[in-house]
Amino acid sequence: MKTNQFLRLATALLVIGSMTACKEDFLDQKPNNSITDENFYQTETDAVRATNSVYSPAQGLYNGAAWQILDIMTDDADKGGGGANDGVEVFELDNFTLNSFNPMVTNYYTQCYLGVQRANLVLEKVPKIVGMSQNIRRRCLGEAMFLRGFYYYMLVRLYGDVPLYTKPITLSEAYSIKRSSKDLVYQTIISDLTMAGDSLPLARFTGEDAGRVSSGAAKGMLASVYLTLGQKDKAAEKALEVINSGIYSLNANYANNYSVYSENGPESMFEIQYRNAGQQWNFYGQGSVVNCFFGPRAQNIVQSSGYGFNVPTQDFVNQYEKNAAGVIIDKRRVPSIWMPGDKFDTYTQPASLEGSPNGYNVRKYFVSANDANADAGGWSCAGNIPVMRYSEVLLIAAEALGSGAGEVHLNAVRRRAGLPDIQAGLSADAFLAAVYKERRIEFSSEMHRWFDLIRHPDPNYMVTVMQAAGKNAQAKHMLMPIPQGERDKNSNLTQNPGY
């Protein structure tokens, strides 16, 4: 459970609305209309609060659009829930009938740009604050650069060319800005993450500052960017910098990555911070919604009954390695998904449930309905959501280095899962397939799969895999549509092909 005070919020009005500063108790919002961006940035405390506010749009992003797009649209999951009319916008994503009016496509876009605007304000205003500790100033600027790079990385992979601005903009400018090429966006991302890696401290933050990003997070994210761009030498270089730093390690118990009582642990590099704060029924509040949304539907083992969304597919479950008797031996299975017969206290998972005909549900973020300290109900769970873990850096290194040199890093992840080492000397294609399979299991329900599908060196990989899974993905779905609401306000925004 959280004991630090990182991300308790103060609020100030900014150009695009209210800016919330935050500690780990994200979004304890107290609007004050007398505070503006012109008079707010006066002290070191103001700088820290403004920097904290840059983290908070990621809460709303990961509470909704991220898992609905990046998990449910993949071969790992189906929508689940209470049928086609329960979450129509998610049904559209799952069945690839979405268009530019889909609310989740809009939510993803707007949450990322809210984070970009807040980061830009920090980068413009904080250097001008007088009497501020230079170490804190450097840290604030490094955090803002990391987060701006992160939000643009989330945008460019989903939409391709997107509006790019590195200074605060007015509403009139927002309504006329054009899309920039994805190459230029990636240049900005690389620059931001490189500067963040140089500015932030090497050591992980602890105590009241646990949850802030450090240099290792920036370098790990940069390794991911290079891998996405196919620049394997640079990806390996950055991944090995993190590995050789000795700062991070794998949790001995995979389940500890998701326990509300072991957050921001030795494997954590960047995770979305939430708290059980009483702001109920709010995707943009301080608490996480996924314990309720992913919990087995109407079984009441989680607060607010459980909605049963994001249901693991049979194809995903089939990926777990088994022994000769057909029994799953991968230690990650039990902490990751509910299967029929699984028990918790007096509860036994049924053979089938509404929305889950095979009796599968996501278990990673499970908090018992009896644990009111961690989840008091109404979408206000304290459980964090990991964005980057050390195991991802190991698998980036494995993929970038390839068969031979990459085997040691792939095997480190497999050994933690109780699995034998990968066969040595695999061909390049076979080794890539092995890494992809490992990533699929290791990061299930962590909103990675979609990006892996679309970055594969085979340009037809996503469509081939998704159609084999029975989903009607087409080539146009390599990119999501630019939200129509944004285009209605800005006639300079072009649309992606096919929409």
Side-chain angles (χ1 to χ4, degrees), residues 91-112:
F91 186 78
E92 292 174 354
L93 296 170
D94 193 17
N95 289 278
F96 290 87
T97 58
L98 72 146
N99 57 32
S100 60
F101 294 93
N102 185 278
M104 291 303 103
V105 170
T106 299
N107 170 279
Y108 187 109
Y109 188 95
T110 56
Q111 287 301 112
C112 287

Side-chain angles (χ1 to χ4, degrees), residues 7 9 16 18-22 26-27 29 49-66 107-119 147 150-151 154 270 272-274 283-285:
L7 301 177
L9 303 183
I16 60 173
S18 63
M19 175 198 75
T20 53
C22 44
F26 272 126
L27 295 176
Q29 301 177 357
R49 288 176 174 173
T51 303
N52 292 343
S53 80
V54 188
Y55 287 87
S56 59
Q59 291 178 294
L61 176 64
Y62 276 78
N63 260 345
N107 170 279
Y108 187 109
Y109 188 95
T110 56
Q111 287 301 112
C112 287
Y113 274 113
L114 178 58
V116 167
Q117 178 76 338
R118 291 180 179 181
L147 289 164
F150 163 71
Y151 288 122
M154 294 295 281
F270 178 38
I272 310 301
Q273 310 288 311
Y274 293 99
F283 281 100
Y284 309 100

